[in-house]
Structures are given as C-alpha cells and as structure tokens.
Amino acid sequence: MEAQFIAWLRSRLPAPPASLLIGPGDDAAVIDTAKMAGMVATTDMLMDGVDFRLSQVDPRRIGRKALAVNLSDLAAMGSEPVAALVSLSLPRSGGFALARELYEGLLPLAEEFGAAIAGGDTNAWDGPLVISITALGRTTSRGPLLRSGAKAGDAVVVTGELGGSILGKHFDFTPRVREAIALASRYEIHAAMDISDGLLLDLSRLCAESGCGAELELSAIPIAAAAYQLAELQADSCSALDHAVADGEDFELLLALAANDAANAERDQPLLAEHGVRLTPIGRFISEAGIWSVDAAGVREKLEPRGYQHQFD
Ligand SMILES: [Mg+2]
C-alpha cells in the first residue's frame, strides 16, 4: 500500500520549485541553500484525541491545519516557507483514503505559501492518526524575528482579533506569513511570536525571553466575534475578553514595536487593504517582570498567564 500511496502522491504534487533539488522518492530530500541567508526549521505534531477528533472533523481540515501551524511558526520568525516534510501514522483501517484526504487538505495551502512537499514518512499502526510536519523556511534580508528583543517602552502589538477560535478559526486560520514579511520590511520588529496557546501565556513567554514584563490596556484588546459567541454559548462565567486573552490557537502575531512605529502602524494600518488584517497596540513592555493590566486611571492589577499547556510529568 505504501508504494501505491507514494505513486499517488508523486502524481498529485505540483512541479517542484528550483530550490528543491531532490524531492520525494529518494532516501532524503536535497534543498539548495545557496541563496538562503539562514534556514529556519520548525516541527509540529497533531494527534487524534488530543488536538482533534477524527470522528468529528473532515480530514482535509486536519491536514490543512497540520501544515498551517508550522507555517504560522515560520511567520513568527519572519521567514518564507521553502519546504515541508510530512509524517503520517495512519490507522490501518481506511488509512490510504485518509492519507489522500489529509494531503488534499494540505496541498492547496502548501502551494499558496510556496512550501514544496520535500518528503516524509507514511506508516500504519493499530493506534490513532498522528500527523507530524516539519517545515523549512528562509529568512528575509531583515534576518529572523526572535522572541528575545522586546525592550521596555516598546508597544505590544497584535494582528487581527483574538478569542473563540474553537468555533472554527483554529482549523481555518490563515498563517500570517505574508503579513509578517510585509511588516518586517516596513518596521524594525524588536520581537515576534505567534499566539498559539493564548495571549497572556504567550506574552509571558515572549517577556521571559526578552527579560521584561508588560502592561496591557484590556479595553484595547481586539476581541473576535467568535469570542462573544463563545461567551454566550457557554454556561460558565468566562467573558468575551477572558476568551480573547486566554484561548489558544488564534495564530495571530504578537509583536514588539518601538512606540513611534506602533503609533504609525495603528494610524496607517498597512495590512488592511491587501490582507484585511488590523494592527492593534494593546499595551507596552516594561522593565519590571510580570504581566499587568492598567486602566485609564493608571490602576494596575497583576494578570496570571493563562492559556493552553500540554500536561506531562
Ligand atoms: Mg509559535
């Protein structure tokens, strides 16, 4: 079955870009790195029962998401996708059809973002579906964006709107690759990451890497319509704002920009016309550790970094 699958896959793949010297079919892929200032590598694994329920989701959305989360990490580094390696652990029953559906979901996204499928591995077992993708990217002339460069006085800026992604965006989001590259060409981005586990948790991670803290104006946080819907749907006491600051999988960008760049970005909205994405300053980085809310009167309150964390001992 594996040979049959590889034959199907090779017939389905588009013509490889010039940078992919050797693609699927050999023992390993060969990528031309001569024109790359730096190669960025990232990997992400999604598991049935943990990250999705195969019985409830179209496998094409799972395949798409498995690649999209990797492209989001490349975006967070300010890099352009080059290639992806796709590893599947398939349940034995129906595995061939499932593999094709996963690929039918991820291939259009790979083409859209210029990621050549360079190879991977396809196995079958008596366990649930696991899909692991490794994505490779190249840095632009501005170099990689890191979590570690935020300075006290910089603005905290986010793309898009936050919260309630579980209602659909967590599968169907657009990785902010084009937005990150457009912003990096226009502003000096001091630090960046993608919001995968929740704004407060991810901001606390960026602050830890940068050796600083942050103050947020909660009223400035852009709340997604889905966050309001979720607050209404659920019988708990979580508000739309709670969802915006703590829900995972928004896959928006979290940025540290110099205060004047952030003011210009807010005024000019350079991503709005082409990408339909707003930039919103939501606070500032401070030298003191910790994440705080600050209101118009200047009253501060400590915020706990809430979000999604994998649990293990
Ligand atoms: Mg990330």
Side-chain angles (χ1 to χ4, degrees), residues 73 76 147 193-194 196:
D73 276 328
R147 295 182 180 185
M193 69 183 295
D194 63 330
S196 56

Side-chain angles (χ1 to χ4, degrees), residues 26-49:
D26 216 304
D27 295 286
V30 181
I31 293 166
D32 182 2
T33 56
K35 293 195 199 84
M36 291 186 204
M39 180 180 274
V40 179
T42 184
T43 194
D44 229 304
M45 182 164 65
L46 301 186
M47 291 169 286
D48 186 11

Side-chain angles (χ1 to χ4, degrees), residues 54-212:
L54 182 57
S55 57
Q56 295 169 11
V57 191
D58 183 332
R60 284 168 292 206
R61 293 177 85 197
I62 296 167
R64 183 190 183 280
K65 179 175 181 175
L67 179 61
V69 296
N70 279 281
L71 299 187
S72 182
D73 276 328
L74 291 184
M77 302 298 288
S79 62
E80 297 170 319
V82 172
L85 298 136
V86 180
S87 294
L88 303 177
S89 290
L90 299 161
R92 288 186 205 283
S93 170
F96 188 24
L98 176 58
R100 280 181 300 182
E101 286 183 293
L102 293 166
Y103 269 96
E104 292 297 355
L106 71 85
L107 286 174
L109 191 72
E111 276 200 73
E112 181 184 347
F113 284 92
I117 303 302
D121 197 10
T122 305
N123 295 330
W125 69 328
D126 292 322
L129 171 66
V130 180
I131 174 166
S132 174
I133 297 187
T134 298
L136 305 173
R138 69 178 142 242
T139 56
T140 68
S141 59
R142 304 298 294 248
L145 304 178
L146 307 177
R147 295 182 180 185
S148 55
K151 301 180 191 63
D154 285 350
V156 182
V157 177
V158 294
T159 60
E161 295 166 335
L162 305 177
S165 73
I166 193 74
L167 295 183
K169 185 186 180 188
H170 72 121
F171 273 114
D172 304 321
F173 67 94
T174 302
R176 298 296 186 206
V177 172
R178 294 178 285 242
E179 292 84 351
I181 289 168
L183 290 173
S185 71
R186 193 173 171 122
Y187 307 111
E188 192 189 315
I189 299 173
H190 292 170
M193 69 183 295
D194 63 330
I195 305 174
S196 56
D197 295 336
L199 172 66
L200 292 180
L201 185 57
D202 285 330
L203 178 59
S204 73
R205 291 166 173 163
L206 190 147
C207 285
E209 290 300 316
S210 291
C212 65

